[in-house]
Amino acid sequence: QRKGTCLHPAASEASCSNKIIRAHTIQRAGGLSAIAEEGHVISAKKGFENIFKNDGDIAPAPIGIGNASTFMGFCSYHDNALFEPIESSSFTLNHEAAFLLAFRALAYEYLTKKNSIKTSEIQRDIDKGKDFQAQVDIQNFLHTYLAGIERGMKDLEGWKAQYDKMFLNKDFEAMSHYAVGFDGKMPFVCSGGFHPEIDFEGNTLQIISRGDLEFEHVCVNVSVIGE
């Protein structure tokens, strides 16, 4: 997990640089820096990482913007080359920019799921020394959890292949996007992807816990462009 991997559509041993970096899901210039105080932001993710230390509480904590919202998803060369159009604080939100924002969010979800599958094998051993019922409960939970992760990974592999094809063909208009502008800066930024289950009126869009049909996904980004 620390070593990471390069998820660039054209990644190869010949084209990648030797160093996998901590790539940002939110651009550091403009996005993270726009909401930072003394070089730090408040991270909900860090709260999840410290959940055991905080006795089950999810307590968001400050983190430096150099380490905030990062994942080991690209080599240094491809991270710079791929996301340069959206790294400035005042980039233009066109089809290419919308695609790159979505691609980065999808890459984060992809690597997170992939790492979760790896760690689930380690988690299967956490019931050692516990009584039988506790072992049953833990293994049942992990079985269901892993089934969901594997299903999500199957979807992500398909979506990643579609995104790779769009990028290599420079067919950025093949992906629909919708943008909303706000007056002034929002007090938070985010990047991620999910399966939408209901719309804003409460209507069911898809039931993701059933069947093996291909599901739809949405990537969401909240950031700062200019002011």
Side-chain angles (χ1 to χ4, degrees):
Q1 184 174 356
R2 286 183 178 275
K3 184 179 179 182
T5 186
C6 184
L7 298 174
H8 188 279
S12 68
E13 188 174 338
S15 65
C16 288
S17 56
N18 294 328
K19 184 180 180 182
I20 300 294
I21 65 169
R22 299 179 66 89
H24 285 273
T25 59
I26 300 288
Q27 71 269 29
R28 184 171 176 175
L32 289 168
S33 61
I35 65 166
E37 295 182 0
E38 298 182 352
H40 287 73
V41 293
I42 303 299
S43 169
K45 181 181 177 182
K46 193 172 182 181
F48 279 99
E49 292 174 352
N50 295 330
I51 191 170
F52 292 109
K53 186 172 70 175
N54 295 327
D55 295 325
D57 289 336
I58 300 173
I63 186 173
I65 61 174
N67 295 315
S69 191
T70 60
F71 69 114
M72 305 290 283
F74 296 95
C75 71
S76 57
Y77 170 73
H78 281 131
D79 183 65
N80 291 331
L82 184 60
F83 299 116
E84 183 180 8
I86 58 172
E87 280 303 313
S88 70
S89 59
S90 58
F91 65 87
T92 300
L93 188 58
N94 52 25
H95 285 286
E96 180 182 9
F99 171 85
L100 292 174
L101 288 167
F103 183 88
R104 189 157 58 182
L106 187 84
Y108 169 75
E109 300 292 349
Y110 180 95
L111 189 61
T112 301
K113 285 283 192 301
K114 190 174 183 179
N115 287 334
S116 294
I117 291 175
K118 291 179 182 178
T119 56
S120 67
E121 296 303 319
I122 301 173
Q123 291 171 329
R124 286 189 177 279
D125 293 331
I126 65 175
D127 64 352
K128 288 183 177 179
K130 299 184 181 296
D131 63 73
F132 178 73
Q133 187 56 52
Q135 290 182 337
V136 170
D137 292 340
I138 290 171
Q139 293 301 326
N140 279 339
F141 169 79
L142 289 175
H143 174 79
T144 305
Y145 171 75
L146 182 60
I149 292 293
E150 288 177 339
R151 176 56 208 259
M153 193 69 218
K154 179 182 177 183
D155 291 336
L156 282 161
E157 286 173 345
W159 300 335
K160 175 68 164 55
Q162 293 173 17
Y163 278 52
D164 287 353
K165 184 177 180 180
M166 280 188 277
F167 175 79
L168 294 173
N169 293 334
K170 303 300 179 186
D171 189 16
F172 302 122
E173 295 189 23
M175 188 194 73
S176 300
H177 71 271
Y178 187 80
V180 177
F182 295 89
D183 293 331
K185 298 173 183 176
M186 302 289 280
F188 66 94
V189 294
C190 73
S191 175
F194 67 101
H195 295 91
E197 298 180 77
I198 59 173
D199 65 14
F200 289 111
E201 283 72 45
N203 301 308
T204 299
L205 299 174
Q206 56 189 350
I207 302 175
I208 63 173
S209 60
R210 301 180 187 174
D212 56 359
L213 298 175
E214 183 178 346
F215 296 130
E216 298 289 342
H217 73 287
V218 171
C219 291
V220 177
N221 287 273
V222 178
S223 194
V224 179
I225 303 177
E227 295 299 320

